[in-house]
Amino acid sequence: MAVASGFVSSVAELKTKMESTSLVHGVTSASSSSVACFPSQVRNLCKSSKIKLKVPERGAFGLSIRCEVNSDTLVRNDEIGSKASSLSALQLLKTSAGDRYTKERSSLLVIGLNVHTAPVEIREKLSIPEAQWPQAIGEICALNHIEEAAVLSTCNRMEIYVVALSQHRGVKEVTEWMSKISGVSVSDLCRHRFLLNNKDATRHLFEVSAGLDSVVLGEGQILAQVKHVVKSGQGVQGFGRKISGLFKHALTVGKRVRTETNISAGSVSVSSAAVELALMKLPTYSCTTARVLVVGAGKMGKLVIKHLVAKGCTKMVVVNRTEDRVAALREELKDVEIVYQPLTELLACTAEADVVFTSTASETPLFLKENVQTLPPVNSQVGGRRLFIDISVPRNVGSCVSDLETACVYNVDDLKDVVAANKEDRLLKAMEAKAIIPEEVKQFEAWKDSLETVPTIKKLRAYAERIRASELDKCLSKMDVDISKTKKKAIYDLSVGIVNKLLHGPMQHLRCDGTDNRTLSEILENMHALNRIFGLETEISMLEEKIRAKMDQSQK
């Protein structure tokens, strides 16, 4: 009786600890297999004691624990009772933390906000400059349940792609990280974010790369931004095999869609839409006479200038930190008068402009209400209000500027009206493009799933090699000490040959290189069968190792 009571009290103590720490350790968000979440030591102890452990119910704190003790198990060896008592409930809970998600496969996830789900006021707070993407990858991969990561941050979206060891925990950790770096509350992020996993996440990135998820359907700049993700991720720890493979395949999809559907023909980019918006807001007769200021001569600024020239603008002022890029534009556009001014002359140049385009990477507004309200009014022939077209994220023009009667402010979210003009033609091309996406998703998923067989192949070969080496040592120990090197090599070669011959069949059935007619499901079936037959437990043990390594790293 003393033994059983000692064990039951230990379980009771464990339950109390689990209830008091459930919010910290995530008991309430455990997987549906409640027994898998319960400490392995307690399960083993119950098994050895012939005690039935039942965890079928969920109480206010997550798990409701119930033990059934048979009458013939009440008298047991004192050693079992002392073992149960010596392991405190808290110790059991800590040592089992890595076990909770070992039944769960790693997931490919995208957690993001874009122009369709969140306003620019939220997106700009989450914006990450391209130069900081590697640092962001490192911070995300330092989270307990994140193995690989990539960041895609543009004027229309901020999306984080990860390989998560636990889907639920991974989403939670990334969302909290996004809140920490942006100052946006978790509740606000949850209201505006979108979550996609595995095939849906793959499909989404392919559609993004193809220009099917852009405000301007078919626009080409997003493909270059996806390319920058791959370029900036090279050599960065955390931009791993699955994530890099995903983005490289997305580049292939984007190129294929544009080649086969011609979706980008006749479509407008964000910069050209900004010019179109300005022309829509200006009186017809002022389109070629309005005084134009372009702030920023980067990629977007350069495109704005080119689109202005295409619309008949022959003179403009460009404000930039350095003159190099402006000088290059002068060489390229020799028939256009482009006047360079440094950033220190920004307000003076704005005072003489009717239309101001902004496209810089500044993380703080360049124009505030107090700056703009002191500027002289514009010519009544251009509408009487100074026009600000801000295509930067974060925004270069403070939202308070729009309160002024002398100014009119538009940002990237206001470009939708321009895009609607030729939307029908592009929608027809988009339908053709969308037919390509499922094919590419299927190809990528087959490649990704084929990676699952690699650990099994390695573990099976290591298993066979251990047996071969052991049996070879036994054989040589029974032979004469002075056996010749030639005979030793012959015996060694024989053992290697036998192992290779025996492994050839299983290895062939795990190959995913398309050299045979086996389907992916058949190959994965073979993998699971070999795991069971040889006790490799590849998927579970590897995931457990990764989680434990992450936990150990975070505790240092």
Side-chain angles (χ1 to χ4, degrees), residues 75-87:
V75 180
R76 297 288 295 163
N77 193 307
D78 288 343
E79 182 183 347
I80 297 176
S82 61
K83 180 180 179 181
S85 302
S86 64
L87 286 172

Side-chain angles (χ1 to χ4, degrees), residues 134-383:
Q135 178 186 341
I137 291 172
E139 291 180 8
I140 295 167
C141 289
L143 302 173
N144 283 342
H145 293 81
I146 304 300
E147 188 176 14
E148 300 180 24
V151 175
L152 177 59
S153 181
T154 73
C155 60
N156 286 330
R157 66 187 71 251
M158 198 298 196
E159 299 176 356
I160 296 176
Y161 293 80
V162 298
V163 174
L165 300 176
S166 162
Q167 182 170 314
H168 171 77
R169 285 295 183 91
V171 169
K172 182 176 182 291
E173 289 172 354
V174 172
T175 303
E176 289 173 349
W177 178 84
M178 292 169 73
S179 176
K180 180 182 176 182
I181 66 162
S182 65
V184 179
S185 68
V186 171
S187 59
D188 281 343
L189 286 175
C190 291
R191 187 162 65 250
H192 292 291
R193 77 183 179 188
F194 65 89
L195 301 172
L196 296 170
N197 69 346
N198 298 321
K199 284 186 180 179
D200 292 332
T202 301
R203 184 181 298 106
H204 173 74
L205 180 59
F206 290 178
E207 289 178 351
V208 167
S209 184
L212 298 176
D213 193 62
S214 302
V215 173
V216 183
L217 196 61
E219 63 103 356
Q221 192 170 6
I222 186 62
L223 187 60
Q225 289 160 337
V226 171
K227 188 175 182 179
H228 290 155
V229 173
V230 176
K231 185 178 179 181
S232 66
Q234 296 301 317
V236 177
Q237 188 173 3
F239 190 73
R241 188 174 184 183
K242 288 183 181 178
I243 288 290
S244 64
L246 172 67
F247 274 83
K248 287 175 183 177
H249 202 120
L251 285 175
T252 302
V253 174
K255 292 173 184 176
R256 180 186 170 191
V257 165
R258 285 168 175 80
T259 301
E260 295 184 17
T261 68
N262 204 25
I263 191 173
S264 58
S267 67
V268 292
S269 64
V270 170
S271 52
S272 66
V275 173
E276 291 287 346
L277 179 62
L279 297 181
M280 286 171 57
K281 301 303 177 182
L282 287 169
T284 305
Y285 58 82
S286 68
C287 291
T288 56
T289 59
R291 297 171 298 174
V292 176
L293 170 63
V294 179
V295 184
K299 296 172 186 175
M300 296 289 281
K302 184 177 178 180
L303 289 171
V304 166
I305 292 169
K306 288 186 174 182
H307 288 300
L308 283 168
V309 172
K311 293 297 181 181
C313 182
T314 57
K315 181 179 179 180
M316 66 192 75
V317 177
V318 179
V319 170
N320 197 50
R321 285 183 299 175
T322 60
E323 192 177 359
D324 297 348
R325 291 179 176 177
V326 180
L329 280 167
R330 281 203 207 100
E331 286 295 317
E332 188 176 346
L333 306 169
K334 293 183 179 180
D335 296 332
V336 182
E337 184 181 351
I338 301 176
V339 180
Y340 165 75
Q341 291 291 346
L343 202 57
T344 53
E345 298 297 317
L346 178 61
L347 288 179
C349 294
T350 306
E352 298 178 3
D354 302 316
V355 183
V356 181
F357 294 90
T358 64
S359 60
T360 79
S362 173
E363 296 185 12
T364 55
L366 300 178
F367 295 98
L368 297 174
K369 186 176 181 179
E370 52 266 31
N371 306 135
V372 178
Q373 65 184 0
T374 61
L375 299 176
V378 298
N379 194 317
S380 59
Q381 289 185 338
V382 293

